[in-house]
Amino acid sequence: MNSIGEKIRIQRLTKNYSQQYMSFMLDISQAAYSNLERDETELTIRRIYEIAEILEISPFILLPKPRFGTYINYHNFMITIRKIRQLWTSKIRNKKANLPEHINVYNSDIEKLPNE
């Protein structure tokens, strides 16, 4: 997996830009820019955006990929919702079954609960 500095270096070489040009555009020394490419200096988001603008690329190309993905697995989400619903309805049924006798609950109300 490429580091941010390595991604910057690859993009810079693709554009055929020198380190001196990049350092001039970023208003830093060439040595400081070299440290960026070697990951010896921590980059801020603002600096990544500046570099991406000079390289005329999206800053997201330079950023690392998310560790756990960027989407919700719809199938697993629906399974979880179904389990929560089953648990919830079973708890309601248990509560209604154990109600004191002075509270009226009609069987028609219990039958309206989904059977799962």
Side-chain angles (χ1 to χ4, degrees):
M1 189 162 133
N2 296 343
S3 66
I4 294 175
E6 190 174 340
K7 290 178 185 179
I8 292 170
R9 185 180 67 79
I10 290 168
Q11 292 296 325
R12 175 181 62 80
L13 292 173
T14 302
K15 295 284 186 174
N16 209 17
Y17 294 160
S18 67
Q19 284 190 347
Q20 284 111 355
Y21 172 76
M22 294 294 293
S23 63
F24 173 77
M25 294 300 288
L26 293 169
D27 198 27
I28 60 176
S29 70
Q30 190 272 326
Y33 179 79
S34 180
N35 288 341
L36 292 177
E37 283 191 0
R38 287 181 292 167
D39 292 317
E40 293 177 2
T41 303
E42 219 173 292
L43 288 167
T44 63
I45 297 294
R46 177 171 289 170
R47 182 64 80 183
I48 290 172
Y49 272 79
E50 290 172 357
I51 292 169
E53 189 172 321
I54 294 166
L55 294 171
E56 299 171 340
I57 60 172
S58 168
F60 298 107
I61 292 172
L62 303 176
L63 294 172
K65 302 286 183 234
R67 280 182 29 195
F68 302 110
T70 57
Y71 71 97
I72 295 174
N73 185 330
Y74 184 74
H75 178 72
N76 289 344
F77 178 73
M78 292 309 295
I79 289 172
T80 303
I81 295 297
R82 206 171 294 123
K83 286 180 181 179
I84 291 170
R85 183 175 172 207
Q86 288 171 349
L87 180 66
W88 182 72
T89 55
S90 68
K91 284 191 175 197
I92 289 175
R93 285 174 197 224
N94 288 340
K95 279 188 175 184
K96 287 187 176 184
N98 295 326
L99 281 175
E101 287 188 27
H102 67 276
I103 297 176
N104 294 327
V105 176
Y106 300 103
N107 284 335
S108 61
D109 292 337
I110 294 174
E111 289 170 2
K112 289 179 186 175
L113 289 175
N115 289 327
E116 291 191 24

